[in-house]
Amino acid sequence: MASISVLGYGVVGTGIADLINKNKEKFKSITGEDLNISSILVRDKSKHEQKQNYHLITDNIEKVFNSPVDIIVEVMGGIHPAYDYVKKALKLKKHVVTANKDLIAEHGKELLDLAEANGVTLNFEASVGGGIPILKPLIECLSGNEIIGIKAILNGTTNFILSKMYSENASYEDALKLAQELGFAEANPDSDVLGYDAARKLSILSTIAYNKKINWKDLNLNGITSIDKIDFEYAKLNECTIKLLAVSKSQNNKVYGFVQPVMVRLDSYLSKLDDELNGIVIEGDAVGNVFFSGKGAGMLPTASSVFGDITDIIQNKNKKNIKFNADNAFIEKCWCDKSSWLVRIKTEDRLNTICTLSNNFKNCHIYTSNVTQANEVAAVIYEEYESTLKHTLEKFLDIPYINEIKKFMVL
Ligand code: HSE
């Protein structure tokens, strides 16, 4: 008998309880064991009176730790108290499955070491890409590769918002509200829209892929809060859409990484992912590009990954944990490949701004479209180094008639 305790009974916890009830026979046929939820931890029992499984609900964590549980499933989210509970569970030699990207991005190494020291497993497939199987394929199936790069959409909420803005001309606020109602957004959606959530997931993927510690705070980070309808007009002119991309690349012992809104060409894999879909392109030196996609957020997709992790633990009880390297990667903030960039410059003097652009960039195409606003100049610039572009644009901000500059990488 495999006995599970679930910490947290929100959207994901409810999905896990549903999947466990639905798949008992299948689980037994795969593992030979019965699967049983012995308790569900909540903060406030009175809020769950109408729920199924009320008889399993407790608000007493000690009761959970003192019961004969094999696997603790942590789906509370956030660092506290999840961090303390997971640590205690591992010290008590309980296997842990978590969907908590914040926890793994901040404390993954310590927790994996603790699991190893106690002879138990810590699985966290659902922490990246929701329902997409990505960590196991990366760790196991792609082990014959040196991973060169990752290009991904890793946040369902922002992809939902940007998709609705692109295809339905929705306002940012309405699309965010809908994403919250559908249960994709974090309790505090700032973490979604400012790019922190995607950066944490990219740091987990990159730490595994490059076997170096990638701190999410060291990545170049920009959210989607300033994206407006005109940005989408320019994207369409360019045969692109706008996506919040999480990208990293390992080159010459350095890691380049960013999370930022990018103009993505309509003929690329990632441009076709709408709503809460996530997608990850991994480039390996042997395999080339492999593409994974699916629902990156929501009740059952996330529960699907958690269920897979539970099955994995029961099937392979003595499996070794992956290790996170303690050595920090050298992270470069500016991008390493030649790219083109769409820039929008707010200006009081269009003519002089156009001259300034032409004088400073050899390869620059100024837009003359009617999308262009009265007080701005827009252009696509081809530049070998992002650092050169950044430096030149920073100098532009010292020019009295230039007020503001917005730039998008075109990929
Ligand atoms: N808020 C997250 C997202 C949930 O929108 O992707 C899944 O991690």
Side-chain angles (χ1 to χ4, degrees), residues 101 154-157 184-186 192 197 201 296-297:
K101 55 269 160 138
L154 292 174
N155 182 268
T157 303
F184 307 145
E186 297 301 299
D192 295 297
D197 180 77
K201 292 166 179 168

mmCIF file of all heavy atoms in Angstrom, residues 101 154-157 184-186 192 197 201 296-297, ligand 1:
data_model
loop_
_atom_site.group_PDB
_atom_site.id
_atom_site.type_symbol
_atom_site.label_atom_id
_atom_site.label_comp_id
_atom_site.label_asym_id
_atom_site.label_seq_id
_atom_site.Cartn_x
_atom_site.Cartn_y
_atom_site.Cartn_z
ATOM 1 N N LYS A 101 7.760 25.536 -7.785
ATOM 2 C CA LYS A 101 8.949 26.069 -8.485
ATOM 3 C C LYS A 101 9.722 27.081 -7.653
ATOM 4 O O LYS A 101 10.945 27.168 -7.748
ATOM 5 C CB LYS A 101 8.578 26.674 -9.845
ATOM 6 C CG LYS A 101 7.503 27.757 -9.822
ATOM 7 C CD LYS A 101 6.140 27.210 -10.006
ATOM 8 C CE LYS A 101 5.069 28.149 -9.513
ATOM 9 N NZ LYS A 101 3.935 28.243 -10.360
ATOM 10 N N LEU A 154 7.177 29.484 -20.508
ATOM 11 C CA LEU A 154 7.094 28.730 -19.251
ATOM 12 C C LEU A 154 6.047 29.268 -18.295
ATOM 13 O O LEU A 154 5.973 28.827 -17.149
ATOM 14 C CB LEU A 154 8.467 28.734 -18.553
ATOM 15 C CG LEU A 154 9.579 27.959 -19.257
ATOM 16 C CD1 LEU A 154 10.917 28.150 -18.552
ATOM 17 C CD2 LEU A 154 9.242 26.481 -19.340
ATOM 18 N N ASN A 155 5.275 30.259 -18.738
ATOM 19 C CA ASN A 155 4.249 30.777 -17.838
ATOM 20 C C ASN A 155 2.897 30.827 -18.549
ATOM 21 O O ASN A 155 2.737 31.517 -19.562
ATOM 22 C CB ASN A 155 4.653 32.174 -17.335
ATOM 23 C CG ASN A 155 3.641 32.725 -16.348
ATOM 24 O OD1 ASN A 155 2.712 33.432 -16.735
ATOM 25 N ND2 ASN A 155 3.784 32.394 -15.084
ATOM 26 N N GLY A 156 1.946 30.054 -18.023
ATOM 27 C CA GLY A 156 0.632 29.942 -18.647
ATOM 28 C C GLY A 156 -0.163 31.240 -18.578
ATOM 29 O O GLY A 156 -0.844 31.615 -19.538
ATOM 30 N N THR A 157 -0.065 31.936 -17.447
ATOM 31 C CA THR A 157 -0.854 33.160 -17.261
ATOM 32 C C THR A 157 -0.479 34.214 -18.299
ATOM 33 O O THR A 157 -1.353 34.793 -18.960
ATOM 34 C CB THR A 157 -0.605 33.713 -15.838
ATOM 35 O OG1 THR A 157 -0.955 32.687 -14.914
ATOM 36 C CG2 THR A 157 -1.395 34.975 -15.572
ATOM 37 N N PHE A 184 -5.031 29.830 -13.313
ATOM 38 C CA PHE A 184 -3.646 29.705 -13.811
ATOM 39 C C PHE A 184 -2.684 30.595 -13.024
ATOM 40 O O PHE A 184 -1.535 30.248 -12.827
ATOM 41 C CB PHE A 184 -3.521 30.144 -15.288
ATOM 42 C CG PHE A 184 -4.483 29.470 -16.222
ATOM 43 C CD1 PHE A 184 -5.021 30.148 -17.299
ATOM 44 C CD2 PHE A 184 -4.837 28.150 -16.034
ATOM 45 C CE1 PHE A 184 -5.895 29.535 -18.173
ATOM 46 C CE2 PHE A 184 -5.715 27.515 -16.893
ATOM 47 C CZ PHE A 184 -6.253 28.216 -17.971
ATOM 48 N N ALA A 185 -3.195 31.776 -12.633
ATOM 49 C CA ALA A 185 -2.294 32.788 -12.067
ATOM 50 C C ALA A 185 -1.878 32.423 -10.644
ATOM 51 O O ALA A 185 -2.573 31.692 -9.942
ATOM 52 C CB ALA A 185 -2.985 34.140 -12.089
ATOM 53 N N GLU A 186 -0.736 32.944 -10.231
ATOM 54 C CA GLU A 186 -0.280 32.784 -8.851
ATOM 55 C C GLU A 186 -1.193 33.598 -7.934
ATOM 56 O O GLU A 186 -1.897 34.508 -8.394
ATOM 57 C CB GLU A 186 1.145 33.331 -8.707
ATOM 58 C CG GLU A 186 2.176 32.602 -9.536
ATOM 59 C CD GLU A 186 2.265 31.129 -9.193
ATOM 60 O OE1 GLU A 186 2.579 30.791 -8.054
ATOM 61 O OE2 GLU A 186 1.992 30.298 -10.078
ATOM 62 N N ASP A 192 3.780 36.258 -11.997
ATOM 63 C CA ASP A 192 3.574 35.844 -13.386
ATOM 64 C C ASP A 192 3.953 36.974 -14.332
ATOM 65 O O ASP A 192 4.802 36.805 -15.214
ATOM 66 C CB ASP A 192 2.095 35.486 -13.634
ATOM 67 C CG ASP A 192 1.621 34.285 -12.847
ATOM 68 O OD1 ASP A 192 2.160 33.202 -13.092
ATOM 69 O OD2 ASP A 192 0.731 34.437 -12.000
ATOM 70 N N ASP A 197 8.081 34.096 -12.244
ATOM 71 C CA ASP A 197 7.698 32.670 -12.289
ATOM 72 C C ASP A 197 8.437 31.954 -13.427
ATOM 73 O O ASP A 197 9.021 30.878 -13.230
ATOM 74 C CB ASP A 197 6.173 32.577 -12.466
ATOM 75 C CG ASP A 197 5.686 31.146 -12.533
ATOM 76 O OD1 ASP A 197 5.611 30.496 -11.486
ATOM 77 O OD2 ASP A 197 5.399 30.670 -13.652
ATOM 78 N N LYS A 201 11.428 28.955 -13.268
ATOM 79 C CA LYS A 201 11.350 27.693 -14.013
ATOM 80 C C LYS A 201 12.559 27.556 -14.953
ATOM 81 O O LYS A 201 13.135 26.476 -15.085
ATOM 82 C CB LYS A 201 10.043 27.640 -14.800
ATOM 83 C CG LYS A 201 8.816 27.519 -13.885
ATOM 84 C CD LYS A 201 7.539 27.803 -14.645
ATOM 85 C CE LYS A 201 6.299 27.667 -13.789
ATOM 86 N NZ LYS A 201 5.097 28.210 -14.428
ATOM 87 N N GLY A 296 0.557 24.239 -19.447
ATOM 88 C CA GLY A 296 1.585 24.580 -18.472
ATOM 89 C C GLY A 296 1.042 24.988 -17.128
ATOM 90 O O GLY A 296 1.802 25.303 -16.209
ATOM 91 N N ALA A 297 -0.266 25.023 -16.983
ATOM 92 C CA ALA A 297 -0.868 25.445 -15.717
ATOM 93 C C ALA A 297 -2.267 24.856 -15.644
ATOM 94 O O ALA A 297 -2.795 24.373 -16.648
ATOM 95 C CB ALA A 297 -0.922 26.974 -15.653
HETATM 96 N N1 HSE B 1 1.122 30.729 -12.447
HETATM 97 C C1 HSE B 1 1.753 29.662 -13.135
HETATM 98 C C2 HSE B 1 1.555 29.868 -14.634
HETATM 99 C C3 HSE B 1 1.158 28.358 -12.692
HETATM 100 O O1 HSE B 1 0.706 30.686 -15.004
HETATM 101 O O2 HSE B 1 2.240 29.242 -15.426
HETATM 102 C C4 HSE B 1 1.908 27.144 -13.147
HETATM 103 O O3 HSE B 1 3.218 27.126 -12.646
#
